[in-house]
Amino acid sequence: EFDRGKDRLASSRMGKYSVDIPEHSKSCKARGSNLRVHYKNTHETAEAIKGLSLTRAQKYLRDVIEHKDAIPFRKHMGGVGRKAQVKKYKGATQCRWPVKSCKFLLDLLTNAESNAEINSLDTESLYITHIQVNRAPKMRRRTYRAHGRINPYMSSPCHVEMILSEKAEKDNVKKGESAGSNTVARRATQGGGGFSE
């Protein structure tokens, strides 16, 4: 009973991930909780970099910040404008340049890269094998309207977690014929989250 309580205490300190990885696998993790950045924009940005290599993802996010590339919006598309820059991504017609989301994800990638160096992993062969964005509890403010009324003025923060694995580990997952492995492999080869038919 003492050991079980000790394990529970350790897991509550470290924070749980939605995916379990073997203890001695060549992977590194990074996460952020209650980040003050929009959930919807961050979700689309995370989907765009899923399956990319670490260096490719970092370059892509920097290009988006400089408006040289764009994030295709595939799920949360309400009110998102159509732009010519999204033509290279199949199946998408709307895109944006969510600068704040890109900066937060770049910081998390840098954190994961540092964790990889501590664990003696090869940062050149790291790929984003798992990235997930969840809604966090909304933060409440108020805005003042006409005729003495008050309306809620809520923020939509999010939790982000990611796991990066070395290429050998990624290939092993692909050979195992897991559910989403082909999609991840296609995204990694095409770059930027595009789909091929």
Side-chain angles (χ1 to χ4, degrees), residues 37-52 57 60-61 64 70-81 86 89-102 105 128 131-135 156 158-160 187 191-195:
V37 60
H38 289 315
Y39 160 75
K40 290 182 180 180
N41 289 345
T42 311
H43 174 270
E44 297 291 353
T45 309
E47 285 298 311
I49 64 170
K50 189 183 285 184
L52 299 183
Y60 178 45
L61 293 175
V64 172
I71 301 291
F73 275 56
R74 302 177 188 279
K75 182 179 178 183
H76 304 291
M77 303 185 298
V80 179
V86 81
Y89 303 113
K90 291 189 178 178
T93 55
Q94 295 156 284
C95 70
R96 272 183 178 168
W97 303 271
V99 171
K100 194 172 178 183
S101 295
C102 290
L105 288 178
I128 301 170
I131 184 166
Q132 181 174 307
V133 181
N134 295 327
R135 291 181 195 269
S156 300
C158 60
H159 308 305
V160 183
R187 283 186 186 174
F195 287 97

Side-chain angles (χ1 to χ4, degrees), residues 143-151:
T143 185
Y144 300 92
R145 309 306 298 268
H147 311 297
R149 291 174 300 133
I150 290 173
N151 279 5

Side-chain angles (χ1 to χ4, degrees), residues 45-65 69-71 89 101-110 112-113 123-124 126-131 162-164 187-188 190-193:
T45 309
E47 285 298 311
I49 64 170
K50 189 183 285 184
L52 299 183
S53 67
L54 174 63
T55 50
R56 174 76 182 93
Q58 287 173 327
K59 183 182 183 305
Y60 178 45
L61 293 175
R62 288 192 193 101
D63 286 348
V64 172
I65 290 169
D69 210 334
I71 301 291
Y89 303 113
S101 295
C102 290
K103 286 180 178 175
F104 271 83
L105 288 178
L106 266 174
D107 288 345
L108 276 176
L109 286 172
T110 306
E113 189 176 10
T123 55
E124 295 297 316
L126 285 176
Y127 281 79
I128 301 170
T129 52
H130 166 76
I131 184 166
M162 60 175 68
I163 297 174
L164 283 73
R187 283 186 186 174
Q190 190 160 359

Side-chain angles (χ1 to χ4, degrees), residues 135-183:
R135 291 181 195 269
K138 291 194 171 189
M139 301 180 74
R140 180 175 288 275
R141 286 182 290 170
R142 55 167 61 175
T143 185
Y144 300 92
R145 309 306 298 268
H147 311 297
R149 291 174 300 133
I150 290 173
N151 279 5
Y153 200 71
M154 313 282 272
S155 67
S156 300
C158 60
H159 308 305
V160 183
E161 63 179 49
M162 60 175 68
I163 297 174
L164 283 73
S165 303
E166 280 192 5
K167 190 168 176 57
E169 294 277 324
K170 184 173 176 281
D171 291 342
N172 290 341
V173 170
K174 206 163 68 172
K175 286 173 189 168
E177 297 293 346
S178 65
S181 60
N182 292 336
T183 311

